[in-house]
């Protein structure tokens, strides 16, 4: 029986706030706000530092989505900088290994797991193109200045504490398969141990620091068309990837208008197309028709959440294809500055440590984007040359009175939009604060069985079980069962900002402009 409880408090201030999955990255973003930068400046710096201090979740070898809300005009813009399949990709290289297909949420395995690990699993990364484009359009920092904190972090190295040691131990066998990965992350093929004397231990990333310095001097497009691109293609081809110079040269992020929907007077803005956004909006539509809020979320509400999530997933799987066969590992950043500008940014390498491949000359950990495609050739989300897969990332920006009011998102793959659906409902339908909502138990309907948090009221599982198979699950640090959210909220009447990070993640942190958070 679990006898302990973890609690984090929300942060309220009139200053800017950065909520992220690592305290150092959040502090780096808050320092940018303190120096006069805006929400986009802080978001980009935070994302770049995250690629060093927590490299197994996100980084410049991956891709993502972001939403920007203008605090003065209320204008909302969306940026798609997700990964793409190589143009020379051959779907026959990802033959099914045989056996029965899984249920709705499991795809048949591919021979040698070529879509999950190693060079064949890598897609064209979009993070550098996306972050630089976002900074150019909405930021005030120069590109080289934005890279500065990440360069310093890479030169010093990733800190190895107990949590780092745990994460490296979980995936050490995959990392040991690639020499450049083992060199950075392992000690003689084994996971490193955290210091036992209270000291600090770091693992420098000199090649990645050199790459970032080159990008600071040559500009972001060097990643796609210059010396950095040449080095990447050399590394990729040597390992067996089909990514070529043309793949990199033709990559461009895409600015889009967000897809939006109304939920009880709030406008929920999401990434259109191949993201978790349309599925979340569908779930909220179902919820609005079926949930009658009471004083607090109860068993009936939990059943309504299960119906909405499952109903949305039925459409997602039949019309869009499901985009996760394994656990996704992403990183989300939510930022609000003192003027009310907001950014909701999600970046990912997909699986933990992505493809497990660190490019030998570049020192950069690469994504395993092929896992987001359904390997069955008849699927609407099938593997195809140059295609963009259906992603689970779901950054959101909510507005009230035509002004940004909440930036929220999460890591956790297919668990993301189910978690965000409930968090939005907790705050909108029940008047919860961020702190109350983040600590309230949730259900997850992203698998064939509805998972119910053991901390939920005793009648929740029985109510959900009247319509769905149920499994009782503890909200653990690993594996993640109910996503890892972060959010910021702004009260327009008082100009007060509020931020909250995931309670059970030891590194998740809310940093405030002008302080250590």
């Amino acid at each position: 029986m679990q006898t302990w409880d973890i609690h984090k408090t929300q942060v309220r201030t009139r200053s800017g706030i950065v909520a992220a999955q690592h305290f150092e990255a959040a502090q780096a973003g808050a320092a940018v706000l303190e120096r006069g930068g805006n929400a986009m400046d802080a978001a980009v710096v935070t994302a770049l530092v995250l690629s060093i201090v927590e490299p197994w979740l996100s980084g410049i070898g991956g891709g993502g989505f972001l939403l920007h809300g203008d605090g003065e005009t209320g204008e909302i813009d969306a940026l798609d900088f997700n990964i793409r399949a190589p143009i020379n990709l051959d779907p026959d290289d990802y033959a099914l290994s045989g056996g029965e297909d899984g249920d709705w949420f499991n795809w048949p395995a591919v021979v040698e797991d070529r879509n999950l690990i190693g060079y064949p699993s890598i897609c064209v990364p979009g993070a550098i193109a996306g972050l630089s484009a976002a900074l150019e359009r909405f930021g005030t920092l120069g590109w080289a200045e934005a890279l500065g904190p990440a360069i310093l972090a890479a030169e010093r190295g990733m800190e190895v504490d107990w949590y780092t040691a745990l994460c490296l131990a979980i995936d050490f066998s995959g990392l040991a398969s690639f020499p450049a990965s083992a060199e950075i992350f392992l000690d003689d093929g084994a996971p490193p141990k955290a210091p036992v004397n209270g000291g600090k231990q770091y693992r420098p990333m000199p090649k990645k620091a050199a790459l970032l310095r080159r990008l600071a001097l040559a500009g972001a497009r060097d990643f796609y068309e210059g010396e950095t691109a040449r080095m990447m293609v050399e590394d990729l081809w040597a390992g067996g990837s089909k990514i070529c110079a043309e793949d990199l040269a033709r990559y461009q992020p895409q600015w889009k208008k967000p897809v939006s929907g109304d939920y009880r007077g709030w406008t929920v803005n999401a990434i259109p197309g191949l993201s978790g956004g349309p599925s979340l909006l569908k779930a909220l539509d179902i919820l609005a028709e079926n949930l009658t809020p009471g004083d607090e979320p109860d068993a009936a509400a939990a059943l309504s959440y299960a119906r909405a999530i499952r109903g949305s997933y039925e459409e997602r799987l039949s019309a869009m294809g499901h985009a996760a066969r394994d656990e996704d590992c992403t990183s989300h950043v939510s930022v609000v500055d003192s003027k009310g500008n907001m950014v909701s940014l999600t970046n990912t390498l997909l699986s933990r440590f992505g493809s497990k491949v660190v490019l030998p000359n570049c020192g950069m950990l690469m994504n395993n984007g092929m896992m987001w495609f359904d390997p069955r050739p008849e699927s609407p989300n099938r593997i195809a040359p140059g295609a963009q897969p259906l992603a689970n990332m779901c950054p959101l920006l909510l507005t009230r009175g035509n002004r940004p009011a909440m930036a929220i998102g999460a890591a956790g793959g297919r668990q993301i939009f189910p978690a965000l659906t409930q968090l939005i409902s907790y705050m909108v339908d029940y008047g919860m604060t961020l702190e109350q909502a983040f600590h309230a138990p949730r259900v997850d309907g992203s698998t064939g069985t509805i998972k119910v948090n053991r901390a939920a009221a005793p009648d929740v599982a029985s109510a959900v079980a009247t319509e769905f198979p149920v499994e009782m699950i503890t909200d653990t640090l690993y594996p993640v069962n109910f996503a890892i959210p972060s959010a910021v909220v702004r009260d327009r009447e008082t100009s007060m900002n509020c931020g909250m990070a995931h309670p059970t993640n030891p590194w998740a942190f809310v940093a405030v402009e002008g302080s250590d958070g």
Side-chain angles (χ1 to χ4, degrees):
M1 174 69 68
Q2 178 177 307
T3 58
W4 47 268
D5 183 45
I6 297 173
H7 195 94
K8 286 183 181 178
T9 57
Q10 64 184 19
V11 174
R12 285 177 54 81
T13 176
R14 284 189 171 85
S15 300
I17 292 176
V18 180
Q21 285 170 221
H22 194 285
F23 56 94
E24 284 191 79
Q27 289 166 342
V32 169
L33 296 176
E34 173 67 12
R35 296 194 298 269
N38 62 23
M40 187 60 80
D41 296 322
V44 169
V45 168
T46 301
L48 289 167
V49 173
L50 277 169
S51 75
I52 307 298
V53 297
E54 196 174 34
W56 51 87
L57 295 185
S58 63
I60 62 175
F65 302 124
L66 68 80
L67 291 155
H68 174 268
D70 190 298
E72 182 176 346
T73 68
E75 186 74 16
I76 309 297
D77 291 276
L79 182 62
D80 177 342
F81 56 99
N82 201 18
I83 52 94
R84 309 283 195 277
I87 56 177
N88 292 321
L89 176 147
D90 184 353
D92 291 340
D93 289 341
Y94 303 88
L96 304 183
S97 61
E100 298 271 332
D101 286 357
D103 61 20
W104 278 356
F105 304 89
N106 289 308
W107 294 336
V110 168
V111 172
E112 298 176 347
D113 285 336
R114 292 171 60 85
N115 60 334
L116 302 181
I117 188 170
Y119 286 86
S121 71
I122 300 172
C123 284
V124 181
I128 288 294
L131 296 177
S132 62
L135 192 69
E136 181 178 359
R137 184 162 181 175
F138 291 112
T140 66
L141 296 181
W143 175 241
E145 186 180 0
L147 283 167
I151 293 171
L152 293 176
E155 290 172 339
R156 182 207 67 184
M158 170 187 67
E159 182 179 356
V160 179
D161 61 6
W162 69 268
Y163 187 52
T164 312
L166 169 64
C167 293
L168 293 172
I170 291 168
D171 287 286
F172 85 92
S173 60
L175 296 170
S177 301
F178 303 97
S181 305
E183 181 182 358
I184 291 179
F185 297 116
L186 304 180
D187 289 334
D188 296 324
K193 296 180 179 178
V196 296
N197 58 2
K200 293 197 173 184
Q201 174 185 332
Y202 296 97
R203 301 191 73 86
M205 302 178 185
K207 291 183 179 179
K208 190 168 185 179
L211 183 150
L212 294 175
R213 285 196 298 270
R214 184 182 306 109
L215 294 177
L217 291 172
R221 286 309 299 178
D222 190 74
F223 190 93
Y224 297 93
E225 299 177 86
E227 177 63 13
T228 303
R230 185 197 64 77
M231 292 173 57
M232 288 172 56
V233 171
E234 181 180 319
D235 278 345
L236 289 163
W237 277 63
S241 170
K242 295 289 182 69
I243 295 175
C244 65
E246 185 180 355
D247 281 308
L248 295 173
R250 68 189 288 183
Y251 186 91
Q252 293 289 343
Q254 298 176 351
W255 286 104
K256 301 178 177 180
K257 298 307 295 182
V259 60
S260 62
D262 177 80
Y263 187 72
R264 306 193 199 277
W266 292 65
T267 300
V268 183
N269 298 279
I271 302 293
L274 299 174
S275 77
S279 298
L280 176 134
L281 294 176
K282 175 68 174 180
L284 289 177
D285 284 344
I286 297 172
L287 198 61
E289 295 178 0
N290 292 278
L291 174 65
T292 302
D295 294 333
E296 60 183 20
D298 55 13
L303 179 56
S304 294
Y305 296 140
R307 288 171 177 162
I309 293 164
R310 179 55 59 81
S312 181
Y313 255 116
E314 288 179 357
E315 179 176 297
R316 181 176 178 85
L317 298 179
S318 61
M320 302 175 73
H322 180 61
R325 180 179 173 272
D326 194 5
E327 179 185 2
D328 290 4
C329 283
T330 59
S331 200
H332 182 78
V333 178
S334 299
V335 183
V336 59
D337 62 28
S338 58
K339 296 181 178 179
N341 302 302
M342 284 189 178
V343 174
S344 183
L345 185 158
T346 309
N347 181 212
T348 188
L349 291 175
L350 283 80
S351 290
R352 297 173 61 90
F353 293 94
S355 62
K356 312 298 189 289
V357 172
V358 169
L359 298 184
N361 291 314
C362 300
M364 175 174 52
L365 189 61
M366 300 300 292
N367 70 81
N368 64 334
M370 293 306 301
M371 71 165 281
W372 262 347
F373 290 102
D374 188 332
R376 293 170 291 196
E378 70 278 8
S379 167
N381 186 36
R382 60 186 174 273
I383 295 172
Q388 183 174 350
L390 177 63
N392 292 306
M393 293 179 288
C394 190
L396 302 172
L397 210 156
L398 281 67
T399 59
R400 293 192 79 183
N402 296 319
R403 292 295 182 273
M406 182 192 308
I408 189 170
R414 60 193 178 210
Q415 305 165 7
I416 292 175
F417 96 72
L420 299 180
T421 298
Q422 291 165 87
L423 289 170
I424 290 171
S425 174
Y426 288 168
M427 290 181 278
V428 173
D429 291 323
Y430 299 97
M432 288 187 176
T433 64
L434 277 178
E435 183 175 333
Q436 292 169 332
F438 272 52
H439 286 281
R442 300 189 292 273
V443 301
D444 179 70
S446 65
T447 64
T449 299
I450 304 294
K451 296 179 180 178
V452 176
N453 192 329
R454 291 186 192 278
D459 59 345
V460 167
S462 58
V464 176
T466 61
E467 296 186 22
F468 305 101
V470 167
E471 181 182 7
M472 302 295 293
I473 294 289
T474 300
D475 189 5
T476 57
L477 178 61
Y478 180 82
V480 173
N481 290 313
F482 299 98
I484 304 173
S486 68
V488 293
V489 170
R490 182 170 178 84
D491 185 327
R492 289 284 157 186
E493 293 183 1
T494 64
S495 297
M496 290 293 293
N497 295 327
C498 182
M500 186 69 195
H502 185 55
T504 58
N505 185 305
W507 283 354
F509 192 77
V510 175
V512 177
E513 172 188 352
S515 73
D516 292 330

